[in-house]
Amino acid sequence: MGENVCYINGLNVTDFRNGLGCSSVPFEFYQEFQIKTGGYSAEFGRATGGVINAVTKSGSNEYEYGFNIILNPDLVDSGLEGESQNSYFPDTGGLYIDRAEDRAEAVRMNLYASGPIVKDKAFFHVLYNVRDVESTDVSRSSESIIERSSDDAFWGLKLDLNITANHTVEFTAFSDESSTREDDFDADVSGLNDSGEPTTFSQYSRGDLSGTAFLDRGGENFVARYTGYLTPDFTISAMYGENEYDLTDRSSADTICPVIVDIRPGASNRFPGCWVNGVPAIASDKREAMRVDGEWIIDDHQLTFGLDNEINTSADTSFYSGGYFWLYEEDAGTEYMRLRILDRGGSFETNTSALYVEDTWTITDTVTLRLGVRNETFDNKNAAGESFIKVENQLAPRLGIAWDALGDGSLKVFANYGQYYLPVANNTNVRLAGAELFIQEYYEFGSIDPATGLPLTFIDGNGVTQTFDPTNLNRDPNASSITGAPVVTGAGLGRNVFGDGSAADTASIVDANIEPMYQEEWIVGAIRDLGNGWTIGARAVFRDLKSTLEDLTTDAAFQSLIDNGTLAATASCGIGDFHYVLANPGSGVTIDWDGCGDIDGDGVDDGVQTYTFTADQLGYPESIRRYNAVEFLLERAWDGTWFLQGSYTWSQSYGNNEGYVRSDNGQDDAGLTTLYDFPGLLDNAYGRLPNDRTHAVKLFGAYQFAANWRVGANMLLESGRPINAFGVHPSDPFAQLYGAESFFQDGVPVQRGSRGRTPFKSQVDLSLDYDTVWGVADVNLGIDIFNVFDSNVPTEVNESAENDSGGVERRYLQPTAMQAPRSIRLRAQFDF
């Protein structure tokens, strides 16, 4: 779920564009982690999932230095490591996804030094992480072999200064900047089966280099913090930091080679042409974060308060490689050409701020009450720097109570209630509020150049064969066509203008009465200390996503106004061009819109008008996501010989909306998934959500079986994910435009998550450590074996039961992702 948040020494390092992932920092740079899966205080926000609060290592009065080496060798061919499993077409036995010949290996070395700059006053800790990572992926679908390599180093620095006994300053800087090189080779294929598919990898051989791409990621980060212990009861801190992340995908072919994809049955070359990146991007994100926190102890009250502000800026320039995209496809025996143009860019800023106050009140010796509130503000701006959505006064209460039931600390009973608000992802700024040109047209098939894969001719809407001229491409969304000279006089077989290249008026793309996205959470539980290091516990969790932000289209609502006579038949309203509005699904929408033309039938364009639609007119159901869970915990503390921790969780996640992103169709387009694009896409959408895993058992521990030897184990057993059957909607003409995106098969409703589950996933990991002393060095040698028993079950399957034309999808239920096979890691640590 893309709704978590990560902090390093107080700096938020979460991806704010899509909410997926955080800055990449080696484990060796950290001192400790604080992981909060729920019930966290008012200090933390901008998440409806979990919080990871990490602290990096600091220097002390003792000089220390050392290094470690971590090897992930490629041992598949030796049989020591497992081999990934292929997926096959069920009807022919041909390869669907190649995995068995995929390979990966990595070498990492961490060098560190730590100690005083001035004893008792100033300290340093530095780490340099050398990385060499290589992998080879074989793709049957693209008939290519991709070799990836990355060798950029990570560096990190922590400085601590004790100005006085009561005033300290710390400074952290690190860089996780990296560039991955992707060499894409043609895969020469021989020995095909009757369907033109290779059956084994041995029928592939690496051909010519078709292109090289570079994926730039990460960036430089720093955070400075002052802490003042002004009195024994009053502490204040102030922080400023910056977090950078590159998102550039580039190659030398980006400006000269258009995208060409041929998915017609029997096509000899699925990906002709010289293109490398489908959608090249020059993109980056930068966060500027400031916060002030205070703590004041007054008798039985521990009062915490603060404010924080983030300015998050996303720069983005994206386009189809070579300026356009041709897709060749077939529907019911008729071949089509689909032409797309995409061009977007700009700089987009979001300003998020919050105030919080919280009182932890020790009412009695056995009862503690926590009362807090956090007030969030999110201000997302378009490419012109204008606010297109600003949500203020998001009051998020945080309540908690803890009771020492027996009065001796051995039984703690607790309960928490909280509301958590999620900001609008910057992805929404870029996609919805940017100056995006995005057009597509369909044409009947003509002919293609066998050398380049580009069209030579196509058939226009009047049945006339036209010649395609890529040097004279008409990109005007208001013209009759986007094709090259000669100008096409017909409208083709279909045309969609998703974006006309101008930044939309805010009032036309955001509901005037929009509400923020937030979740309610209830937790109740107990922890019992049994003595001798043993602890047991249980808790019940309920989460309810009360409000969601999504882009939805108003085409169906405008069509209903025309159908019932509210608008004249002469009104156009851009129906069929997909007018997207950011709104709360299940609620009404009010927008200003200049796209309806003559709405009263008097022959005059009526210009900008305000339109209000009820929830019924829009046709979208309320967005629902609920999570129920009961967790049982067991822990035996480390006593110098062994420890054990375990848990069992029963849970259910259900509704019609996964949330920020959508994993059942692989969309990481935060806040802009396809789910609410048309009402028909929500038919039968209520059911088990993709992250629903009824049972989960986790167990891990370690045992010191000899003076210098230690063994560790980690076990996981969890239910598979629910499976859908996506097909073409039988009756909604708007939903049909999206092809196999509806919860139907053969025109019959198929409830979400009702087609069974992927298999149970089980995994056992083992580790062995040996500690010794070599001269002046403390040495640790270790080996980790992941997935010891080489369990290899599908973790995701193709959930499209039909293709976009409504025909049978032969890849339905075939694995698209598999459990990682057995792998081995070798470690050596030297500390001086």
Side-chain angles (χ1 to χ4, degrees), residues 24-251:
S24 178
V25 176
F27 179 79
E28 290 80 2
F29 194 52
Y30 291 115
Q31 178 67 38
E32 62 184 46
F33 295 91
Q34 186 182 39
I35 300 176
K36 303 173 182 290
T37 59
Y40 39 88
S41 68
E43 175 186 357
F44 300 104
R46 305 188 184 105
T48 58
V51 173
I52 300 175
N53 192 25
V55 177
T56 64
K57 292 178 179 177
S58 296
S60 66
N61 275 331
E62 298 294 328
Y63 286 107
E64 298 177 349
Y65 62 96
F67 67 93
N68 70 1
I69 301 174
I70 302 173
L71 304 177
N72 294 86
D74 175 12
L75 301 174
V76 176
D77 294 335
S78 69
L80 295 176
E81 293 188 319
E83 183 178 273
S84 297
Q85 301 299 305
N86 294 330
S87 297
Y88 297 90
F89 289 108
D91 52 352
T92 66
L95 280 173
Y96 166 37
I97 298 178
D98 294 303
R99 302 186 186 92
E101 295 297 327
D102 292 351
R103 297 293 185 266
E105 58 184 351
V107 178
R108 297 176 177 86
M109 176 182 288
N110 292 286
L111 301 97
Y112 78 91
S114 180
I117 301 173
V118 178
K119 283 201 171 184
D120 299 324
K121 286 290 186 179
F123 312 92
F124 75 95
H125 180 89
V126 295
L127 182 138
Y128 189 74
N129 171 245
V130 183
R131 301 174 286 190
D132 186 2
V133 182
E134 297 182 355
S135 66
T136 300
D137 292 337
V138 179
S139 173
R140 183 257 177 260
S141 60
S142 62
E143 297 178 356
S144 65
I145 298 174
I146 301 174
E147 296 182 355
R148 296 184 176 91
S149 61
S150 176
D151 60 2
D152 298 282
F154 169 94
W155 61 262
L157 166 68
K158 176 73 185 301
L159 299 175
D160 294 272
L161 174 63
N162 296 329
I163 302 173
T164 69
N166 296 323
H167 300 273
T168 64
V169 173
E170 58 183 275
F171 176 81
T172 308
F174 66 88
S175 172
D176 62 346
E177 188 173 7
S178 68
S179 182
T180 298
R181 177 187 176 114
E182 289 190 352
D183 289 323
D184 193 336
F185 295 89
D186 294 330
D188 296 334
V189 183
S190 61
L192 306 181
N193 65 10
D194 292 340
S195 295
E197 299 160 345
T199 55
T200 65
F201 177 81
S202 62
Q203 293 166 338
Y204 279 117
S205 61
R206 197 179 80 173
D208 295 332
L209 178 68
S210 61
T212 298
F214 295 89
L215 281 61
D216 301 330
R217 298 294 183 266
E220 295 185 353
N221 307 263
F222 77 86
V223 54
R225 176 186 291 273
Y226 159 79
T227 303
Y229 304 92
L230 304 185
T231 73
D233 299 324
F234 188 78
T235 304
I236 194 78
S237 67
M239 182 275 288
Y240 176 81
E242 294 184 3
N243 164 234
E244 295 179 349
Y245 197 80
D246 199 341
L247 290 162
T248 297
D249 296 343
R250 55 188 171 87
S251 81

Side-chain angles (χ1 to χ4, degrees), residues 515-519 544-549 584-585 622-623:
E515 296 291 333
M517 180 175 180
Y518 76 96
Q519 177 174 272
D544 186 5
L545 190 63
K546 304 296 290 186
S547 177
T548 305
L549 295 176
N584 303 117
E622 178 187 1
S623 174

Side-chain angles (χ1 to χ4, degrees), residues 558 567 570-574 593-599 605-607 609 611:
F558 275 119
L567 299 180
T570 52
S572 60
C573 298
W593 180 232
D594 188 21
C596 284
D598 181 11
I599 64 174
D605 188 331
D606 292 289
Q609 299 288 321
Y611 299 91

Side-chain angles (χ1 to χ4, degrees), residues 38 49 130 445 467 549 610 714 816:
V130 183
F445 211 87
T467 300
L549 295 176
T610 298
N714 181 49
T816 56

Side-chain angles (χ1 to χ4, degrees), residues 10 14 37 45 123 125 165-166 220-221 245 248 306 312 342 444 539 545 613 622 635 677 738 745 796 811:
T14 313
T37 59
F123 312 92
H125 180 89
N166 296 323
E220 295 185 353
N221 307 263
Y245 197 80
T248 297
N312 300 329
L342 170 68
E444 197 167 337
R539 71 171 189 168
L545 190 63
F613 302 108
E622 178 187 1
E635 181 175 353
D677 284 4
Y738 275 49
Q745 183 181 9
E796 296 180 15
R811 297 169 294 184

Side-chain angles (χ1 to χ4, degrees), residues 412-465:
K412 177 185 176 183
V413 180
F414 58 89
N416 291 286
Y417 169 78
Q419 290 185 2
Y420 305 92
Y421 286 86
L422 200 66
V424 179
N426 267 39
N427 176 69
T428 305
N429 304 40
V430 176
R431 293 292 317 281
L432 188 63
E436 180 177 271
L437 178 69
F438 190 12
I439 315 168
Q440 77 172 3
E441 284 189 356
Y442 295 83
Y443 292 95
E444 197 167 337
F445 211 87
S447 60
I448 61 174
D449 186 334
T452 66
L454 281 170
L456 294 172
T457 63
F458 55 86
I459 302 171
D460 68 18
N462 294 328
V464 178
T465 299

Side-chain angles (χ1 to χ4, degrees), residues 535-589:
T535 303
I536 59 173
R539 71 171 189 168
V541 180
F542 172 71
R543 298 188 178 111
D544 186 5
L545 190 63
K546 304 296 290 186
S547 177
T548 305
L549 295 176
E550 259 289 358
D551 71 322
L552 50 85
T553 60
T554 55
D555 296 55
F558 275 119
Q559 186 64 58
S560 69
L561 295 184
I562 295 174
D563 291 344
N564 65 25
T566 302
L567 299 180
T570 52
S572 60
C573 298
I575 296 171
D577 287 337
F578 306 168
H579 179 59
Y580 294 94
V581 175
L582 191 66
N584 303 117
S587 300
V589 166

